[in-house]
């Protein structure tokens, strides 16, 4: 995805890769949006797998927006809703 914005997440268990997801975003998208998208897709995958998941991200800005109760970002609010609906299955780490 050289020269473009991409989004990716990898699901691991005991250092074994279980799943990989990636997407090439439109030129008007930025890294902030890519971070949200990867987190969102990881959450959806975890829910579909009925797995207990720890989600790690290097997108500090996305994680802080998700953590904030005052966020105005639609994707952050969607992620907040998913996390609140599955509190024993999903955790986020900054």
């Amino acid at each position: 995805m050289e020269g473009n914005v991409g989004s990716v997440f990898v699901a691991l268990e005991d250092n074994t890769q279980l799943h990989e997801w990636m997407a090439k975003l439109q030129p008007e998208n930025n890294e902030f949006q890519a971070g949200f998208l990867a987190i969102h897709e990881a959450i959806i995958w975890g829910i579909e797998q009925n797995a207990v998941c720890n989600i790690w991200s290097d997108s500090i800005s996305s994680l802080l927006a998700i953590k904030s109760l005052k966020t105005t970002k639609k994707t952050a609010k969607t992620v907040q809703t998913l996390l609140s609906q599955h509190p024993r299955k999903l955790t986020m780490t900054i």
Side-chain angles (χ1 to χ4, degrees):
M1 289 189 236
E2 190 173 318
N4 296 302
V5 175
S7 185
V8 64
F9 87 84
V10 176
L12 300 171
E13 182 175 27
D14 298 326
N15 292 324
T16 301
Q17 184 173 319
L18 301 177
H19 183 74
E20 179 180 314
W21 173 90
M22 67 176 60
K24 179 180 173 184
L25 279 65
Q26 297 297 315
E28 62 271 10
N29 294 117
N30 58 42
E31 288 101 12
F32 185 68
Q33 293 164 320
F36 271 126
L37 182 58
I39 292 167
H40 179 265
E41 292 299 320
I43 289 170
I44 296 299
W45 182 85
I47 292 168
E48 289 173 351
Q49 298 303 308
N50 195 30
V52 175
C53 298
N54 293 313
I55 299 170
W56 298 77
S57 176
D58 64 352
S59 179
I60 300 296
S61 56
S62 296
L63 293 172
L64 291 174
I66 292 165
K67 185 178 176 181
S68 173
L69 297 177
K70 296 180 181 182
T71 190
T72 59
K73 302 289 183 193
K74 182 179 177 182
T75 308
K77 289 185 178 288
T78 300
V79 169
Q80 288 173 340
T81 299
L82 290 170
L83 291 171
S84 69
Q85 291 172 343
H86 303 276
R88 293 198 167 100
K89 295 277 185 182
L90 303 164
T91 60
M92 302 272 308
T93 303
I94 295 178

